[in-house]
Amino acid sequence: MMQTLLPFFSGPLRQRLASLPFAIMQTVQEIRVREQRPLELGLEQRYSFVSEAGGLCEDPAIAYRATHEDCAVLLEMLTQHSLYTFEEELRRGYITVAGGHRVGLAGRAVLEQGKVKLLKDISSFNIRIAKEHTGCALKLLPYLIDASSPAGIHHTLIVSPPQQGKTTLIRDLARLLSSGGITVAEEPPKLLGVPPRVPTRTPSRTPPEVEPIRQPPQALTRMPSTPTSTSPPLALQPKLDMPRGYKVGIVDERSEIAACTRGVPRFDLGPRTDVLDGCPKAEGMMMMIRSMSPELIIVDEIGRPEDAAAIHEAVHAGIRVIATAHGSDYADLSHRPVLKELLQEAVFTRIVLLGKHPTTGSIAAVYDGEGRPLFVPESVPSNSASRASRDEGKALC
C-alpha cells in the first residue's frame, strides 16, 4: 500500500521512503511530514524516524528534515495542482486520496465569521495508510449475531482511540455480512471470558433450530455502570448459521471505508453493499433509508447530535446499525453526551472495545447493551476492566 503513495512525494522524500526494506514498508501505518522537522513513520507497535541515508533511526538529530519544497510538492500533488477545488477538504483539515488513504493537515486557519474557512501555510501532513485485512472480523461475528430478532444482527458500537483498526474492522464486517454463507459450527462455551468458536465460510444451507437467548435489554433510565470482570457470567450465543447475506448500506463520509474512485469501491465490501461516498453521516443515513432499503447501515466515527438522531431513525425503521466512535474504554463513553444518550437508551446491544495488543485491531472486550461483559480477558482487574483490556487483551482479530 505504501508504494502507491510514493508518487505524491518530492524526489528527496520519495528516495528515502523507497529505500526502506519491504518488511518495514508492510508495517507502516502513518507517514508524518513536518516542515523543517524530522520525517517520522508510525509502525504497528512503535514510531521511528527516517534517517538522511533512508533507514530507520531513533535519534531525531540524524533524521531527514522535510523542506518547504518537500511540503509544497506534497500539497500540490494531493490537491491535483488546484487548491481551489479542494477548499472543502482544506476547511475540514484532511484530504482522502485514491485507495482510501486519509491525509491530515495542519497549518494556519483562516476564519470567516468565527468559523474555519480553510487552512493556509500548511506545514504538517499525517498520511494514514488504509489497509485491507480480509477475515479480521470473523472471530468477532458470533458476538454480533442476534437470534432473538428477525434482523439477526445486533446494533453494534465499536470503540477505540484513533488508528487502532476500527475502519478496517467494519470494512471486513461489511464484506462478511453482505456475502453471507457463514456458520458457527459448534455451540460456544457459556463461560465469561471464553470466546466463541471461530466461524467458517460454508455453502448456504437451512439454518438449524436455535435455543432461546436473552432478549435485548430494555431502554435504560440511567447510564450503564462501568463494566467489570466480576459481573455475572452471561450465556453466549447458541449454535447459529448466517446462510444469507444482508443488504448493507455504507455512509462513507471520509471515503476511507470503501476507498471509492468515481463512486466505485476499491475495497471488497461484499456483493450486496451500496456506498454513499463523501456524504455527511446524518444526512447520508437518511438518504440510504429513503433510497436503498438497506437491512444494515454502517457508519464510521459518530459523535454529533445529528448522528444520534439519524441512528434513532434507522433503528425505528427496522434497520440494524454498526457504528464506530473514538474512546479509550467503556467509561469514556459516559463523558461524551451523544454516546451517553445512546447507551442510556440501550440503542446499541453490543459494545466492542479495540486495542493494540498483541496487535493493532485486537478485540479487547465485548459488552452487551447493559454494560455486562461477554468477553473480557481473564487477567483484567475488577476495578479497571475495560482500560486494562487494551493492554492485556486476548486478540480475536
Side-chain angles (χ1 to χ4, degrees), residues 93-137:
Y94 65 86
I95 296 172
T96 304
V97 299
H101 313 293
R102 186 167 73 176
V103 183
L105 308 171
R108 182 169 65 90
V110 177
L111 303 183
E112 186 176 81
Q113 297 181 347
K115 296 183 178 181
V116 175
K117 179 181 178 181
L118 52 82
L119 291 178
K120 291 184 66 176
D121 302 329
I122 295 170
S123 59
S124 292
F125 303 80
N126 177 23
I127 299 104
R128 296 176 57 182
I129 299 176
K131 297 183 179 180
E132 187 173 30
H133 294 288
T134 301
C136 72

Side-chain angles (χ1 to χ4, degrees), residues 156-160 165-171 173 254 257 281 298-303 307 311 321-327 336 339 348 352 354:
T156 301
L157 180 65
I158 299 170
V159 180
S160 84
K166 297 186 297 296
T167 303
T168 302
L169 184 65
I170 61 172
R171 183 185 299 130
L173 279 173
R254 296 176 177 86
I257 305 173
K281 287 181 285 289
I298 294 178
V299 293
D300 206 5
E301 297 181 9
I302 63 170
D307 297 339
I311 288 171
V321 175
I322 296 177
T324 72
H326 286 145
R336 300 187 60 185
L339 300 181
F348 294 108
V352 180
L354 302 186

Side-chain angles (χ1 to χ4, degrees), residues 53-279:
L56 296 184
C57 66
E58 303 306 318
D59 184 0
I62 63 173
Y64 177 78
R65 293 174 179 266
T67 65
H68 176 76
E69 181 66 18
D70 291 331
C71 293
V73 169
L74 180 54
L75 184 60
E76 279 288 302
M77 296 299 293
L78 291 172
T79 58
Q80 301 173 25
H81 309 285
S82 178
L83 286 172
Y84 175 78
T85 59
F86 281 79
E87 277 192 354
E88 177 61 23
E89 287 83 354
L90 294 175
R91 184 189 65 81
R92 293 184 299 187
Y94 65 86
I95 296 172
T96 304
V97 299
H101 313 293
R102 186 167 73 176
V103 183
L105 308 171
R108 182 169 65 90
V110 177
L111 303 183
E112 186 176 81
Q113 297 181 347
K115 296 183 178 181
V116 175
K117 179 181 178 181
L118 52 82
L119 291 178
K120 291 184 66 176
D121 302 329
I122 295 170
S123 59
S124 292
F125 303 80
N126 177 23
I127 299 104
R128 296 176 57 182
I129 299 176
K131 297 183 179 180
E132 187 173 30
H133 294 288
T134 301
C136 72
L138 270 172
K139 293 184 180 180
L140 174 65
L141 196 57
Y143 291 106
L144 308 188
I145 296 175
D146 182 8
S148 67
S149 164
I153 299 294
H154 282 283
H155 299 296
T156 301
L157 180 65
I158 299 170
V159 180
S160 84
Q163 203 191 350
Q164 292 196 10
K166 297 186 297 296
T167 303
T168 302
L169 184 65
I170 61 172
R171 183 185 299 130
D172 198 52
L173 279 173
R175 182 186 64 85
L176 292 170
L177 294 169
S178 174
S179 300
I182 300 171
T183 183
V184 180
E186 300 179 33
E187 184 174 358
K190 293 182 173 65
L191 296 174
L192 178 64
V194 180
R197 300 288 183 179
V198 180
T200 57
R201 304 299 301 272
T202 62
S204 298
R205 59 185 176 85
T206 304
E209 294 183 359
V210 298
E211 305 168 6
I213 67 170
R214 182 185 301 274
Q215 296 291 325
Q218 300 297 315
L220 304 180
T221 57
R222 58 183 178 83
M223 179 72 182
S225 59
T226 301
T228 69
S229 60
T230 58
S231 302
L234 296 177
L236 300 182
Q237 304 290 358
K239 183 167 64 176
L240 293 172
D241 281 325
M242 196 183 79
R244 74 173 183 90
Y246 291 82
K247 293 184 293 181
V248 178
I250 295 177
V251 182
D252 196 2
E253 181 173 3
R254 296 176 177 86
S255 303
E256 290 184 295
I257 305 173
C260 286
T261 300
R262 297 187 177 182
V264 179
R266 294 308 176 195
F267 287 121
D268 181 6
L269 302 173
R272 301 176 181 88
T273 300
D274 302 299
V275 180
L276 192 54
D277 184 48
C279 183

